[in-house]
Amino acid sequence: MRHAEGDEWGGLVRHAEGDEADQRLGRDAGERSTGRVISIRGTVLEIRFDGRLPPIGAGVRARTRAGRRVSGEVIAHAGVHTARVIAIESTRGLRRGDPVESAGRPLEVPVGKALLGRVIDLHGTPLDGRPAPDCPIRAPLRRPPPSVSERRSGGEIYETGIKVVDFFCPIVHGGRAAVFGGAGVGKTVVLTEFVHNAIESLEGVAVFAGIGERSREGLELWEELESRGVMDRSVLVFGQMKEPPGARVLVGFAALAIAEHFRDDVGGNVLFVVDNVYRYVQAGMEVSGLLGRMPSRVGYQPTLAADLAELEERITATRRGDMISLQAIYVPADDYSDPAITHAFWHLDSALVLSRDIAAEGLYPAIDPLASWSKALDVEVIGARHEEALQEARRVLGRYQELRDIISMLGMEELSAEDRVTVGRARRLRSYFTQPFHVTESFTGRPGRRVPIATTVDDVAAILDGRVDGRPDRDLFMIGSLAEIDAGAGHA
């Protein structure tokens, strides 16, 4: 349900007093509830209401004696007149007995074209130092996913311009893709390059959800989009690391509500980017602990699968608009058997797996082509030529992996002539799939490259056919296409 905009207070809409205002505060005037704080434990509040309890998921707002407002979400009904609430702002300064009010509606976020070019939090409050956006429409943060009849299955390949992605794990329109990796292997760089390439050709808008984002990372993304001239088609929604876990849980839903408005109500194409899904899981784990729930495997919340599904199932294309999603997912201790990672895999159409070993060799982007996968890798989708080159490239790279220990111990001389050829071509492939990014130009001094899929397929076929066997693999390092070698643009 969406409502006319009034003064914002903790993500709810506050209107002038009177009968008409009471009707706006809920579906009927009787849904407005007032009460008092009776217990504060960290960011968990126990609130006793004077009349009916607000429903589960309803937003509430408390006011400290200093006038500061603290908003939250009803998580449980602890008694006939008592509700348990997770605060989404700091509870510092809040005391027992402070007044609480609820309109009986879910927390909401402003949506609309006025958000384009803006940086906001989950309430719609500006973080960019500019006046509040003029958005007369508000949307609930939590809502059911589209029905099966409303969904549209993944369509044609979405070209990212990143060679290793388009060749080994292509992304489709309407699909969900994720970049998996441990700390420091380049998840955010790959994500930012994807945004850079996608938004320039996107006939729509980009919505970025920064969940548990560091201030530095958010500022860098903002400056990057500004410098590329694409910020006017972007909305950045941040919930930083310093925020309480209740806020970090909800920031992804706030960004998604904005993206759904552009997809369904405006009928446009939406690029939805999330960094980082694992921080959403962590925030849910913190909330679960605060509520006293018994932890599940590895300390995760017992509702881990449902929590991830609640977010992921809303990320889809519908008959009214397209949505493409790329997400960064941190892999704790590089353990891909971690429950959060295995649950995340269930919801994806493409997985880009970053390798610490590849990053240690200085090969960027450090995507492992043998561990990455995509549901789009079907001959009916990618075509026979791409399929043939893909299978041969995997065979060559897989054989190279098998021979690496032998090479390190005994040297290339102990290999058969056929294996020496295979190793040479595998090394050229590995060098070829490195790529200078536009977003790293200021650090590397190499101009960024964007390579069409057709060019990548042709180049890989040429390497596998032996047409560049006379070239050392360093000539293929950090280039765009093979045409740059002869043009003298390959090496800096």
Side-chain angles (χ1 to χ4, degrees):
M1 181 182 291
R2 289 171 179 157
H3 308 267
E5 184 178 15
D7 295 331
E8 182 184 43
W9 191 13
L12 293 173
V13 182
R14 191 183 187 195
H15 302 273
E17 295 180 357
D19 294 338
E20 181 181 355
D22 283 340
Q23 292 174 2
R24 291 179 181 177
L25 279 167
R27 286 182 291 273
D28 58 69
E31 288 197 6
R32 182 174 180 175
S33 304
T34 59
R36 297 277 172 181
V37 176
I38 60 174
S39 172
I40 306 169
R41 291 175 294 173
T43 56
V44 179
L45 308 179
E46 296 279 347
I47 298 172
R48 183 176 180 83
F49 285 91
D50 301 326
R52 76 164 61 177
L53 288 173
I56 301 295
V60 301
R61 56 203 179 195
R63 185 190 294 272
T64 69
R65 297 180 189 183
R68 189 173 68 85
R69 295 152 181 166
V70 178
S71 54
E73 183 180 43
V74 176
I75 298 296
H77 289 167
V80 177
H81 298 289
T82 307
R84 185 167 293 131
V85 171
I86 286 289
I88 56 178
E89 281 107 19
S90 171
T91 56
R92 182 172 297 174
L94 198 63
R95 303 181 184 182
R96 293 176 62 184
D98 284 344
V100 179
E101 182 182 14
S102 174
R105 293 197 307 267
L107 292 168
E108 298 169 325
V109 64
V111 297
K113 293 184 177 180
L115 293 178
L116 295 176
R118 302 304 304 272
V119 184
I120 60 173
D121 66 10
L122 67 92
H123 301 303
T125 305
L127 301 177
D128 52 13
R130 294 162 56 189
D134 182 16
C135 295
I137 302 174
R138 301 177 72 84
L141 271 61
R142 297 187 188 268
R143 60 188 294 186
S147 66
V148 174
S149 61
E150 293 177 325
R151 294 173 183 260
R152 184 158 47 87
S153 60
E156 67 275 9
I157 298 294
Y158 184 82
E159 189 172 290
T160 69
I162 303 173
K163 294 180 291 187
V164 67
V165 173
D166 290 337
F167 188 80
F168 286 103
C169 40
I171 297 170
V172 296
H173 283 271
R176 308 182 196 101
V179 183
F180 290 87
V185 293
K187 296 184 300 298
T188 301
V189 173
V190 173
L191 204 70
T192 309
E193 181 72 6
F194 175 87
V195 172
H196 170 272
N197 289 352
I199 201 170
E200 288 190 340
S201 58
L202 183 70
E203 296 179 359
V205 303
V207 179
F208 184 92
I211 303 176
E213 193 82 348
R214 301 177 183 90
S215 300
R216 170 186 56 80
E217 293 172 337
L219 180 60
E220 287 174 356
L221 176 65
W222 182 12
E223 291 176 340
E224 175 65 25
L225 296 179
E226 286 278 14
S227 67
R228 299 294 174 181
V230 293
M231 186 63 197
D232 61 342
R233 287 185 285 134
S234 307
V235 182
L236 308 185
V237 186
F238 287 126
Q240 299 178 52
M241 279 186 169
K242 66 178 182 179
E243 305 291 339
R248 285 181 273 123
V249 163
L250 292 174
V251 67
F253 295 108
L256 193 47
I258 295 169
E260 288 169 332
H261 170 77
F262 286 110
R263 180 194 66 193
D264 297 333
D265 300 336
V266 178
N269 297 331
V270 180
L271 173 66
F272 185 63
V273 183
V274 184
D275 188 6
N276 187 299
V277 172
Y278 186 76
R279 295 192 191 121
Y280 162 72
V281 172
Q282 280 185 312
M285 184 165 50
E286 292 178 49
V287 168
S288 182
L290 288 168
L291 294 173
R293 295 171 181 160
M294 184 70 69
S296 183
R297 289 177 55 203
V298 201
Y300 288 111
Q301 61 270 43
T303 56
L304 173 61
D307 291 349
L308 272 170
E310 186 179 9
L311 180 71
E312 295 287 353
E313 287 301 308
R314 288 170 58 183
I315 305 173
T316 182
T318 67
R319 300 188 182 279
R320 288 173 284 178
D322 195 13
M323 181 181 287
I324 303 164
S325 174
L326 185 65
Q327 308 164 24
I329 303 180
Y330 168 72
V331 180
D334 293 338
D335 180 11
Y336 285 88
S337 66
D338 186 272
I341 306 307
T342 56
H343 281 79
F345 270 121
W346 296 348
H347 299 282
L348 300 175
D349 300 292
S350 302
L352 289 57
V353 178
L354 298 182
S355 166
R356 191 170 302 280
D357 291 337
I358 294 175
E361 294 181 54
L363 302 175
Y364 290 98
I367 295 174
D368 186 342
L370 299 179
S372 302
W373 54 269
S374 171
K375 294 180 181 178
L377 292 176
D378 184 284
V379 67
E380 298 295 329
V381 178
I382 62 177
R385 181 170 172 77
H386 188 166
E387 168 73 10
E388 182 181 352
L390 173 69
Q391 295 302 330
E392 179 62 12
R394 281 183 164 172
R395 185 194 70 79
V396 168
L397 291 171
R399 181 59 178 162
Y400 174 65
Q401 285 295 107
E402 295 171 0
L403 295 171
R404 291 190 69 174
D405 288 343
I406 296 175
I407 295 170
S408 63
M409 291 186 295
L410 303 176
M412 288 282 289
E413 294 76 13
E414 297 301 316
L415 301 181
S416 66
E418 180 182 354
D419 282 342
R420 284 199 293 269
V421 171
T422 298
V423 168
R425 291 176 183 175
R427 286 174 170 172
R428 291 181 189 93
L429 277 177
R430 283 159 55 88
S431 290
Y432 172 76
F433 281 117
T434 61
Q435 186 170 345
F437 281 176
H438 294 87
V439 298
T440 60
E441 287 179 5
S442 58
F443 304 104
T444 65
R446 298 176 185 270
R449 302 286 196 276
R450 181 174 183 170
V451 184
I453 295 178
T455 301
T456 300
V457 173
D458 289 342
D459 288 350
V460 171
I463 295 170
L464 295 172
D465 289 344
R467 280 176 266 168
V468 292
D469 280 359
R471 293 277 188 177
D473 56 273
R474 65 175 178 273
D475 285 355
L476 282 67
F477 181 73
M478 284 295 171
I479 64 171
S481 68
L482 289 180
E484 295 182 17
I485 298 177
D486 294 331
H491 243 8

